[in-house]
Amino acid sequence: TLESTGEALLTLYRNSDFAGSPRIHRYLEVGETLTFGIPFSLYTDDASAITVTVDGSSFALSEDNKEQFRIFTKP
């Protein structure tokens, strides 16, 4: 699950290599929540505005409000 804690551009791909057309490419609104299955890859222009929850554990993509590319796959 991805939750926006601030306005942030999100580009999300339903694979782990940023290939093909993105499933989402838009600005998220504060409080917006999206749920996806793994694998996926994403780009955001403000990593501090995106909180990720996986198996009940939550974390911000970053403490810095910088752009970030991230890949999520099963271990």
Side-chain angles (χ1 to χ4, degrees):
T1 302
L2 303 177
E3 182 178 356
S4 178
T5 58
E7 188 175 295
L9 175 64
L10 177 70
T11 303
L12 184 126
Y13 297 85
R14 291 301 307 249
N15 55 54
S16 60
D17 59 2
F18 297 91
S21 298
R23 299 254 321 188
I24 294 175
H25 179 71
R26 64 180 173 84
Y27 279 91
L28 299 180
E29 297 179 20
V30 176
E32 190 170 352
T33 301
L34 306 169
T35 302
F36 301 99
I38 293 174
F40 67 91
S41 51
L42 66 80
Y43 162 80
T44 183
D45 67 343
D46 184 355
S48 67
I50 307 281
T51 299
V52 179
T53 303
V54 178
D55 294 331
S57 297
S58 297
F59 60 92
L61 285 178
S62 176
E63 295 294 321
D64 300 319
N65 62 342
K66 296 182 181 178
E67 67 180 354
Q68 187 173 109
F69 294 89
R70 184 68 77 94
I71 297 170
F72 292 87
T73 60
K74 291 183 180 180

